[in-house]
Structure formats: C-alpha cells, structure tokens
Amino acid sequence: MWRGAYAWWLTYKVEPKSMNFKNIEATALNSDFKKISILSCKLPATFSAEECAEIDGNNLSLTVEGDFNSDGIIEIWRIGVAKSKQGQYYKVLFATSKDGKLLHSLSTKYDRPGFSAFLVRGDALSWVMCMECGHLADVVWSGETFMLDWGEDYG
C-alpha cells in the first residue's frame, strides 16, 4: 500500500517501441496504431521489482487469464501503450487465445503512455488507470464485443 508522497504510477511513462507483439501487429489492434509496448513484470520487465511488488500488493495484474465472455475459450488479456501514426498515445488492452490468436482489443486515448493494470473481482474484469485512485473502466461483454464501462469512479 502506498504511504509516501511519491506515486510513481502517476508519472510513469513508456514510449511504444515495437511494431508488433509476438505475431500481432500494432495495426491489428487499431489500424491507426504504429507502435506498441506491452507492460510486464516478467522478463523483459517494464517495471522494477519494487514497482511489481506494489502492483501485486494492490491486487492488480498486468496479464489476466479467464473466460470473461463465457464462450468456453480462455482469453489471455494484456495491457500496453500504443502510438498512432499521427503521434497520439493510447492505453490499450487486448486478449489472445492460448495459441496467440488475437480475439479482442480495446483502447483509450491518453496524453502520455502511462501505467494501467487489471483488477479482477470475481468474474468481473476492470481496467484501472492508476493505483489507489478509483479511476477505472469495467470490461464488459455486450453479447457481441467487449466494451469499456467507465461508470462512476470508485472511491
């Protein structure tokens, strides 16, 4: 739990560097994306061991597995940051099958490519924009696609 005056997740910035993640091109997530970087605590890690311990200590994850649309297929959800061809930054999340096929992707425009993580509460998947601030979106299945429900911020 954060107790100091410095909240690294508020100022954290990572520049998207790759045109793909494994076999998934950045443009497959959004035709306007040029580059992407995936946030990870596994090697090659994006965050320090201390930062990863704080993420874990707040019950957050950078990768989540589950069947969040109840279709019988386990999805592997990842978080990243992307940069568009016009230079705009996005926070992104996407799901692949266990064999690496892209299943779903969502993104939101942001001023800078910063921190975000997953929060799982039972069967509910949420995308949090910072630790301990309550600014999050629930990732909900509409029956056809996943959508972000920003609803009310949790306090």
Side-chain angles (χ1 to χ4, degrees), residues 26-27 30-35 83-86 88 90:
T27 54
N30 180 316
S31 61
D32 194 38
F33 289 171
K34 182 178 179 180
K35 296 201 175 188
K83 191 171 189 178
S84 72
K85 296 170 186 170
Q86 294 76 31
Q88 176 65 51
Y90 290 80

Side-chain angles (χ1 to χ4, degrees), residues 2 7-10 51 54-58 60 115 117 128-134:
W2 177 69
W8 62 265
W9 55 88
L10 295 176
E51 292 165 341
E54 275 192 86
I55 293 167
D56 188 53
N58 279 282
L60 302 177
F115 174 84
V128 300
M129 298 297 119
C130 63
M131 287 194 276
E132 303 177 9
C133 70

